[in-house]
Amino acid sequence: MAGTVLVFVFLVLCCSQAQRLVNLVLLPDAVNDGAVCLDGSAPGYYINKTSVNRWIIHLEGGGWCYDESDCYGRSSTRLGSSSMWQKAMQLSGFLNNDPDVNPEFANYSVVFVPYCDGASFSGNLDNPITIKDKKIYFRGHRILDAVLNSLREKEHLDQAEAIILTGCSAGGLSTYLHLDYVQSMFSNIKVHGMADAGYFIDAANIHGEMYIRGQYQHVFEMQNCSGGVNSECIHSKEESERWQCFMAQYTYPYIKTPIFVLNSEYDTWQLESILQIGCRPPNCSESQMQLIAHWRTTFLQALQPAIQSTTNGLFTDACLHHCQSMSDQSWSKIMVKNQTAHDTFVAWLDMKGTRNVRVVDDHTNPDNPTCG
């Protein structure tokens, strides 16, 4: 998944026409508090401050490292070390500062938090592990704390009127896991979440095996994530089931802060990595298409708490993609029941107008004609 997401992000960041430049702020002092990337380097964030009142905080995605060896390899990439981060980057879609493309959010201050811990900003293991004479640190939740504290102290984030926490893929999962925590840190501010492509479900693959369950469980236990996910979820589970709180499907019912779900019903990463279908429509056999149709049914069943919510928002589409909020095309042009993800989110956030704030695509195949 990491390679696929990196290619996607590269294309989004480099090829959009109207984009926002954000500059890197490293946090070397955070190292003293143990807030470090996998390789022990300092965390940080990219920022473009245009408003003191309204903020978007985006948590980057990029998969997870599933075991110790995987984390060792990841520690030598930009998803595990800040030593490889560029000094500035450009953003688009929901983070676009072009008012013609993104009028409601163009004037928000944007913080983009690069991902370097391998567990959706959730791990907190006191002692590093040693692999091949290299120390590997699992400190994602300390990174999140360091970023939020820096924003409070340097940018006076605690004086804001509104914060939107968002992210895509593993960052979308981060949004589900940490939204209530962010609200608790800024209790006097209206906090909303928008989780893009982070509703990974606990489902069987084509052989009937619950393969992905073991993957998430090992990440949760390896990185000591029990203190870095939704506390209400953790307190409701027996110890043997607490790993479930690392999955949006099980965490969503415990989230108290308003949240908007943005997801494809045919999410390409989930089809490839959870269902393990081995093809992509239209290049699939009839039997494979039947399995994909059954996947959609399974996904929508797991999504029922969000579909039935009377307060939270939702937009799902019948498109073959993974992550869409950072693309001008998919954020503002894919249509479901005559409205876009952008339209639906704005309607939900403002609670004004006549648009539906919970939209589910009825296409039973990934053939929504506006997918592009």
Side-chain angles (χ1 to χ4, degrees):
M1 177 184 181
T4 300
V5 172
L6 279 173
V7 171
F8 172 84
V9 171
F10 176 83
L11 291 174
V12 168
L13 299 183
C14 293
C15 301
S16 296
Q17 293 181 351
Q19 300 167 317
R20 179 194 299 264
L21 184 67
V22 288
N23 299 307
L24 177 62
V25 176
L26 282 176
L27 302 175
D29 291 344
V31 175
N32 297 328
D33 296 323
V36 293
C37 299
L38 288 172
D39 71 336
S41 57
Y45 53 87
Y46 294 86
I47 184 169
N48 184 342
K49 187 176 181 180
T50 57
S51 169
V52 296
N53 296 322
R54 296 180 180 275
W55 291 78
I56 296 171
I57 301 175
H58 179 97
L59 303 176
E60 186 184 19
W64 309 271
C65 49
Y66 294 107
D67 57 35
E68 290 81 352
S69 178
D70 194 17
C71 294
Y72 170 81
R74 189 182 179 101
S75 70
S76 296
T77 73
R78 64 167 300 278
L79 288 171
S81 173
S82 63
S83 66
M84 301 178 191
W85 295 347
Q86 54 192 340
K87 293 183 179 180
M89 63 189 306
Q90 293 179 316
L91 303 174
S92 55
F94 176 49
L95 310 181
N96 202 323
N97 67 334
D98 183 348
D100 293 330
V101 176
N102 194 35
E104 288 81 6
F105 306 103
N107 291 323
Y108 275 61
S109 291
V110 167
V111 176
F112 183 99
V113 187
Y115 181 34
C116 67
D117 66 275
S120 291
F121 300 92
S122 298
N124 190 17
L125 193 67
D126 284 335
N127 297 318
I129 63 172
T130 301
I131 304 176
K132 301 178 183 179
D133 297 324
K134 183 178 183 179
K135 290 183 178 181
I136 304 298
Y137 298 81
F138 298 141
R139 305 280 181 77
H141 203 260
R142 297 189 198 187
I143 291 174
L144 180 63
D145 278 341
V147 169
L148 295 174
N149 286 331
S150 176
L151 292 172
R152 189 205 312 266
E153 295 167 7
K154 297 179 180 179
E155 308 298 339
H156 307 293
L157 182 62
D158 54 345
Q159 298 177 21
E161 295 177 359
I163 298 172
I164 300 173
L165 182 71
T166 184
C168 75
S169 191
L173 177 60
S174 297
T175 305
Y176 291 111
L177 302 182
H178 306 307
L179 183 60
D180 281 354
Y181 182 72
V182 172
Q183 177 65 88
S184 71
M185 288 192 69
F186 301 95
S187 57
N188 62 323
I189 300 172
K190 288 184 179 180
V191 177
H192 293 79
M194 196 267 281
D196 180 8
Y199 207 92
F200 302 99
I201 65 171
D202 185 23
N205 64 14
I206 59 173
H207 305 296
E209 302 163 341
M210 303 300 285
Y211 165 79
I212 202 66
R213 176 182 296 180
Q215 298 290 310
Y216 285 118
Q217 184 172 1
H218 187 71
V219 173
F220 178 85
E221 294 171 350
M222 174 182 67
Q223 293 222 21
N224 188 34
C225 296
S226 60
V229 296
N230 185 286
S231 60
E232 292 291 328
C233 181
I234 288 292
H235 292 152
S236 74
K237 305 288 185 182
E238 298 292 334
E239 185 173 355
S240 62
E241 296 180 339
R242 288 176 180 170
W243 64 269
Q244 294 179 355
C245 300
F246 193 62
M247 298 192 75
Q249 173 183 353
Y250 299 119
T251 295
Y252 181 91
Y254 299 95
I255 300 172
K256 296 178 181 179
T257 308
I259 188 167
F260 185 92
V261 177
L262 176 60
N263 228 100
S264 169
E265 298 165 19
Y266 301 95
D267 181 282
T268 51
W269 188 87
Q270 297 201 56
L271 291 178
E272 294 166 3
S273 301
I274 298 181
L275 183 60
Q276 299 181 316
I277 190 65
C279 71
R280 181 174 293 194
N283 300 313
C284 297
S285 67
E286 182 178 349
S287 61
Q288 287 172 322
M289 288 303 299
Q290 290 174 351
L291 288 169
I292 290 173
H294 179 69
W295 165 269
R296 175 181 179 271
T297 300
T298 302
F299 179 79
L300 291 179
Q301 286 173 345
L303 195 62
Q304 283 303 305
I307 294 173
Q308 296 176 6
S309 173
T310 58
T311 56
N312 292 333
L314 176 141
F315 183 94
T316 68
D317 57 67
C319 297
L320 287 165
H321 57 191
H322 178 66
C323 286
Q324 55 189 297
S325 62
M326 291 184 68
S327 163
D328 292 339
Q329 171 67 32
S330 53
W331 172 240
S332 58
K333 295 184 180 179
I334 292 174
M335 301 285 291
V336 177
K337 298 177 182 176
N338 298 316
Q339 59 192 78
T340 66
H342 168 272
D343 297 335
T344 309
F345 180 67
V346 169
W348 172 74
L349 194 65
D350 292 343
M351 290 300 178
K352 292 188 288 188
T354 59
R355 291 189 182 277
N356 190 352
V357 298
R358 283 173 290 280
V359 178
V360 176
D361 201 328
D362 294 332
H363 288 80
T364 54
N365 286 302
D367 56 4
N368 181 318
T370 68
C371 292

